[in-house]
Amino acid sequence: MLNRRILRVKAFQNLYAYEQCKASNLNLAKDYVREAFMPDLNSMEVQDKPQLKKDAETTIALFSENLNNKSLIASGEHGTKIKSEAIKAVNLYHHNNQKDLEFLRKNMVSAAENIPQLYLNVIQILIGFSNHVKNEYERKRKLNQEHVSAFSGELNLAENKILDFLKNDPAFTSETIRQQADVEELELEIQEWFREYVKPWDKYQEYIKLSEPSKEDDLDILQDLIKKIIFKTEAILSYFSEKDLNWTENKAVVRSLAIKVLKNIDEGEEGEEYALPEIAINWEEDKEFFQNIFNLTIENDEENRALIAEKTKNWDIERVASTDKIIISMAITEMSFFPSIPVKVTINEYIDISKTYSTPKSKQFVNGLLDVLAKELTDQGKIRKSGRGLLDNK
C-alpha cells in the first residue's frame, strides 16, 4: 500500500501545517486585541494605561473562551468595547484559519502531483553522472592520452546495468517527457557535482576498481549515491528546494520512490514488463481519498479529540504530543468513514506514520489507544466495514 501510505503522510503533513497555522492565527488575534487597547497617543484625554491593559487581558480571556462561538454569548458583564473587540478577534481568527485551510487544500494536491517529477529528476541526475563519465572517457580516448586505460574503470558507472535499462526503457523515457523531468539545463552542474562530490568519494573509488561489477554492485552504488550524495549535498538539495516549495515535506517520499525505481529493476524477472512506481495507481480515485481524509479529519476533529481526551483521563490532553493527536484523529476518521479499508490496515498505517513523525514512545501510545477506540466504536456501530474491509477484519 505504498501509494496510499504516501497520501496519508501528505495529508498528515498538511493537517500538522494547519495546526501550526491555527496556533499562529491565535497569537495574531491576541496581538490584534492588545493593539486595540493601546493608549491613543493622539487623544487629548488622560489615558489610563493600567486599565487599558486590564481591559485587553479581559478581552483576550473572553475571546479565548468563545473561539467557536461567533455570536459571543458571554457570561458576566463586559463593556461594549471589550465585547466588540472580542467579536472582531474571533472573526479575525476564523477568517485567517479559513484562508490557510483553502490554501492547504489547493496546495497539497499540487504538491502530491509534483512528486513523480521530483523522483524522476533524482534518477535523471544519476543518468547525468553516468553520461558524464562516458563523455569524459571518450574525450580522453580521442586525445589518445597515455594513461586512458587507467580511466576505464570509471566506465563501470557509464555501463551500470540498472541505469542502462532505464536509458533504454520506453516507459521511463515516456514518463520523463510526460512529467517534464529532464535535467538538460543542469548539465554543467551535474559535471561539477560529479567532480566535487562523487569522484573523490571512497565508495565510488571502490566501485570503479571492480573489474566486472554485478547487478547487485550496480544497484548498491546507485542507492548510496542517492542516500549519501544527492540527499546529503547542500548544492544538490538547494536545486530541489528551489524547484519545489514543499521540498522539506516531500524529500523523504521522493528519496523512497527514487530508490524504489532502482529496486524494481533489480527485482524484476528477465523479460518482465517494468512499471514505474506511480504516486497513485488510480490518481483520480486516490486523490479523492487524499482530499477526503484531510477534510473529514478537520470536520470531525473536535469529536475525535473528545474521544482521545476521554481515553486519556489520567493525562492532560495538552500534554499528548500534537502529532499523536493528529495521527489518532486521522485514524479514527479513516476507520469511521472508509468502510472498505480494514481496521487493522488503518491502525498499522498510522503506527508507521507515528514512528517517523512523532515521539519515540508514540508507537505504543498510538497502538494502544487505537486498539481500544476501534473496539469501542465498532461495538457502538460507529465503525462499519463492508467489502474487503469486512472480510479482512474477520
Side-chain angles (χ1 to χ4, degrees):
M1 299 261 324
L2 176 65
N3 297 316
R4 283 282 173 99
R5 180 171 297 173
I6 290 170
L7 297 177
R8 286 183 179 94
V9 167
K10 298 303 298 173
F12 163 78
Q13 289 171 340
N14 281 276
L15 286 164
Y16 181 76
Y18 182 54
E19 286 298 309
Q20 299 297 102
C21 288
K22 288 200 294 183
S24 295
N25 293 335
L26 187 67
N27 288 328
L28 285 172
K30 289 178 180 179
D31 287 343
Y32 163 79
V33 171
R34 293 188 182 100
E35 185 71 26
F37 286 90
M38 291 290 286
D40 183 357
L41 300 178
N42 296 318
S43 174
M44 300 300 291
E45 297 179 7
V46 176
Q47 304 287 301
D48 189 343
K49 292 182 182 178
Q51 185 61 47
L52 286 170
K53 186 176 181 181
K54 183 178 178 181
D55 288 347
E57 294 308 313
T58 300
T59 305
I60 288 172
L62 185 60
F63 156 75
S64 300
E65 291 165 9
N66 291 273
L67 277 181
N68 296 311
N69 179 15
K70 294 182 183 180
S71 60
L72 205 68
I73 303 171
S75 59
E77 294 183 1
H78 298 287
T80 302
K81 183 173 182 180
I82 288 175
K83 190 168 182 178
S84 172
E85 295 300 340
I87 290 172
K88 289 178 184 176
V90 168
N91 289 336
L92 177 65
Y93 172 71
H94 286 288
H95 171 76
N96 287 338
N97 285 347
Q98 187 60 35
K99 189 167 66 172
D100 290 333
L101 183 57
E102 288 170 3
F103 170 79
L104 289 168
R105 279 179 175 147
K106 181 180 178 181
N107 183 67
M108 72 178 195
V109 173
S110 60
E113 289 175 332
N114 197 37
I115 287 174
Q117 183 190 70
L118 295 170
Y119 79 68
L120 288 169
N121 283 152
V122 173
I123 302 301
Q124 288 290 355
I125 289 172
L126 292 176
I127 291 174
F129 290 153
S130 171
N131 291 340
H132 172 66
V133 166
K134 183 65 182 285
N135 292 338
E136 279 294 285
Y137 178 79
E138 289 299 324
R139 184 179 66 81
K140 290 189 176 184
R141 187 178 65 79
K142 286 177 182 178
L143 290 173
N144 199 24
Q145 289 191 6
E146 200 173 308
H147 302 293
V148 71
S149 59
F151 185 76
S152 61
E154 290 200 14
L155 281 176
N156 286 351
L157 189 61
E159 297 170 352
N160 184 286
K161 300 172 190 65
I162 305 291
L163 293 182
D164 188 57
F165 176 91
L166 286 170
K167 289 177 189 178
N168 295 288
D169 180 57
F172 178 81
T173 302
S174 174
E175 193 64 11
T176 298
I177 294 169
R178 190 170 76 86
Q179 296 291 344
Q180 299 181 325
D182 66 80
V183 291
E184 289 179 8
E185 78 282 4
L186 285 179
E187 184 178 357
L188 294 177
E189 286 86 348
I190 286 172
Q191 292 174 13
E192 183 181 348
W193 294 340
F194 180 84
R195 288 194 303 268
E196 294 291 323
Y197 309 112
V198 178
K199 193 169 183 179
W201 182 38
D202 290 344
K203 181 71 180 280
Y204 180 72
Q205 288 299 316
E206 292 172 13
Y207 175 68
I208 63 176
K209 289 174 184 174
L210 298 173
S211 57
E212 293 184 15
S214 66
K215 193 176 181 182
E216 185 178 341
D217 292 325
D218 285 343
L219 174 64
D220 188 46
I221 190 66
L222 296 180
Q223 289 186 104
D224 275 352
L225 276 168
I226 289 174
K227 294 175 186 175
K228 298 175 183 178
I229 299 294
I230 293 178
F231 279 81
K232 293 287 185 183
T233 302
E234 194 60 40
I236 303 176
L237 291 174
S238 292
Y239 160 74
F240 283 103
S241 62
E242 288 173 11
K243 187 179 182 67
D244 179 30
L245 292 174
N246 301 279
W247 179 244
T248 301
E249 294 79 16
N250 285 340
K251 184 166 67 171
V253 171
V254 171
R255 187 178 75 165
S256 172
L257 285 170
I259 290 172
K260 185 174 174 62
V261 170
L262 306 176
K263 283 186 173 179
N264 280 1
I265 297 167
D266 182 58
E267 294 167 0
E269 297 294 329
E270 191 73 30
E272 183 180 36
E273 186 176 346
Y274 174 70
L276 290 167
E278 293 281 355
I279 181 63
I281 294 170
N282 183 335
W283 175 234
E284 288 307 313
E285 180 183 319
D286 284 346
K287 181 167 70 172
E288 185 179 357
F289 165 79
F290 181 36
Q291 292 170 314
N292 284 343
I293 195 68
F294 178 82
N295 291 328
L296 288 168
T297 299
I298 288 173
E299 289 171 21
N300 294 275
D301 193 53
E302 191 174 339
E303 183 180 341
N304 292 345
R305 292 192 185 226
L307 284 172
I308 297 169
E310 185 183 328
K311 295 302 172 190
T312 53
K313 286 179 180 175
N314 294 330
W315 287 67
D316 177 354
I317 187 64
E318 296 305 319
R319 287 179 57 207
V320 177
S322 60
T323 47
D324 286 352
K325 285 184 276 191
I326 295 168
I327 288 166
I328 294 166
S329 184
M330 286 181 73
I332 295 170
T333 299
E334 186 172 310
M335 289 189 291
S336 303
F337 292 96
F338 295 82
S340 65
I341 302 176
V343 167
K344 58 188 176 184
V345 169
T346 295
I347 292 176
N348 287 338
E349 290 293 328
Y350 289 100
I351 287 171
D352 278 346
I353 292 174
S354 73
K355 290 178 190 174
T356 305
Y357 292 96
S358 202
T359 67
K361 295 182 179 179
S362 290
K363 174 187 171 183
Q364 290 82 0
F365 177 73
V366 170
N367 188 14
L369 199 55
L370 287 180
D371 278 339
V372 171
L373 287 169
K375 184 178 186 309
E376 184 176 295
L377 293 172
T378 301
D379 291 344
Q380 293 173 0
K382 293 181 179 179
I383 293 177
R384 296 182 180 182
K385 295 297 175 181
S386 60
R388 184 192 159 201
L390 179 62
L391 293 171
D392 286 4
N393 277 326
K394 288 185 177 179

